[in-house]
Amino acid sequence: MSQAMRLGALGLLPYHALTLEELEEATNNFEPSNLMGKGSQGQLYKGWFSDGSVVVVRCLKLKQRHALKILKQQMEVISKLRHRHLVSILGHCYVTYEESPNATDTIFLIFEYVSNGTLRSHLTEWRKQEMLKWSQRLAAATGIARGIQFLHTRIVPGVLRNNFNIKNILLDENLTAKISDYKLPRPFINKITKVGSESPFNGAAWRSGQLERGLAEGPKKLRGETDPSIRGTFAYESLKTAVEITINCLSEDIGQRPSIEDVLWNLQYSAQVQDGWANSENLGTHS
């Protein structure tokens, strides 16, 4: 963990425990207008500290009395993670009710605020002036891979077996991708979901088949599978490289899936090809 910590705090506040009063002040007593969303992972509030920093406060209800001890152990590790492509956890506040064994304990987790929304919104909402270019999409994918690599290899034990979702990838003001949910403690969930029809690999099988057919039938077919907003703005070889590594990642045979280092190498190569193509386009030479 010391090696991870030496990477620097990225200009963020050091991790520390906060009081409920501090959070009430930051969120204006959890004013409804500061509510950013709610769901199975708790309510999210936007907050402002006195030093001007903006944060997100997640409120979780702990349904099991022993959950707080487990959560504290996990937070010992997660609190120290700092990486450019991870949304950092900045602090916590525990609210316990020792006098009432049937009461529900509450924990507040404080995260850095990432200002530019989700990667999904930039890919699916048709605001053409904000739609991500191919090079920006590659940069986001590469950033996500770097974040995963850090979680897998730069700390001991590694943080593995995450179910990453495009809705949990956020973009900052510079369009830097950040993973917002990486094995967060979930002791408040009563049941463990078994791998089945909800597996991301099962859900992507149909799409993977489409991409494989696109590769097999030639450039025109694969180009036709792309987002219309970026057609004609990318090098085919760059797209082909990214698609090939994606298909390999979705292989049903775990042994055939590439390492995260292989994923990174291919994404970086794809970006280099794209840069070369873009430069040749700017110079008026087509390839």
Side-chain angles (χ1 to χ4, degrees):
M1 180 59 70
S2 60
Q3 183 180 10
M5 295 180 69
R6 285 198 297 270
L7 293 178
L10 306 177
L12 298 170
L13 294 171
Y15 188 94
H16 62 290
L18 294 101
T19 66
L20 181 59
E21 290 73 22
E22 287 176 303
L23 295 184
E24 288 173 338
E25 181 180 352
T27 60
N28 194 19
N29 291 315
F30 297 96
E31 165 66 35
S33 62
N34 292 330
L35 181 66
M36 299 175 63
K38 56 183 177 180
S40 61
Q41 301 302 304
Q43 295 176 312
L44 296 175
Y45 287 89
K46 191 174 182 179
W48 293 261
F49 287 143
S50 57
D51 66 353
S53 57
V54 186
V55 298
V56 175
V57 180
R58 175 177 285 174
C59 174
L60 303 173
K61 301 293 183 180
L62 303 178
K63 296 181 180 180
Q64 302 167 8
R65 294 298 297 181
H66 68 279
L68 187 58
K69 180 179 180 180
I70 298 173
L71 186 145
K72 286 181 177 180
Q73 293 172 343
Q74 293 177 329
M75 293 303 294
E76 279 294 313
V77 175
I78 295 176
S79 66
K80 297 178 175 67
L81 299 180
R82 289 289 187 271
H83 190 271
R84 183 173 182 235
H85 296 291
L86 302 180
V87 176
S88 295
I89 303 179
L90 305 178
H92 70 267
C93 172
Y94 300 125
V95 179
T96 60
Y97 304 92
E98 298 293 343
E99 70 282 357
S100 177
N102 296 322
T104 301
D105 289 342
T106 303
I107 180 173
F108 298 92
L109 300 177
I110 297 86
F111 300 84
E112 65 171 311
Y113 175 70
V114 183
S115 62
N116 222 342
T118 67
L119 176 59
R120 179 176 181 171
S121 68
H122 283 269
L123 295 177
T124 61
E125 295 179 11
W126 284 87
R127 300 168 295 178
K128 291 190 176 180
Q129 70 278 9
E130 298 180 25
M131 294 295 285
L132 296 181
K133 300 175 183 177
W134 175 244
S135 58
Q136 293 171 320
R137 300 178 190 213
L138 280 176
T142 303
I144 296 165
R146 289 190 185 282
I148 294 173
Q149 182 190 43
F150 174 82
L151 291 173
H152 285 190
T153 64
R154 299 301 289 272
I155 58 174
V156 179
V159 179
L160 305 171
R161 295 190 295 275
N162 283 277
N163 183 12
F164 293 110
N165 188 303
I166 192 171
K167 292 183 291 186
N168 294 331
I169 305 300
L170 306 181
L171 300 179
D172 68 10
E173 63 277 6
N174 299 314
L175 298 180
T176 299
K178 290 177 174 283
I179 301 169
S180 68
D181 191 356
Y182 43 95
K183 201 173 182 179
L184 291 179
R186 291 186 174 91
F188 49 91
I189 295 178
N190 290 325
K191 295 181 180 180
I192 298 175
T193 302
K194 294 183 179 180
V195 176
S197 60
E198 61 281 322
S199 167
F201 294 101
N202 290 338
W206 178 78
R207 182 59 177 155
S208 179
Q210 276 190 315
L211 294 176
E212 286 187 282
R213 287 190 293 274
L215 282 174
E217 296 175 21
K220 186 176 180 180
K221 176 68 174 177
L222 187 58
R223 291 178 192 274
E225 293 289 340
T226 62
D227 184 341
S229 70
I230 63 169
R231 288 178 188 168
T233 65
F234 57 83
Y236 173 76
E237 193 63 30
S238 173
L239 174 69
K240 181 173 178 286
T241 300
V243 168
E244 286 174 338
I245 195 65
T246 299
I247 291 172
N248 291 340
C249 287
L250 296 174
S251 173
E252 293 185 4
D253 183 352
I254 294 177
Q256 295 299 315
R257 296 174 195 163
S259 68
I260 193 62
E261 287 75 20
D262 287 337
V263 172
L264 265 173
W265 189 94
N266 279 272
L267 289 174
Q268 290 168 339
Y269 174 75
S270 179
Q272 290 173 358
V273 171
Q274 176 63 21
D275 288 343
W277 179 88
N279 290 335
S280 68
E281 288 289 293
N282 291 334
L283 293 173
T285 59
H286 300 273
S287 59

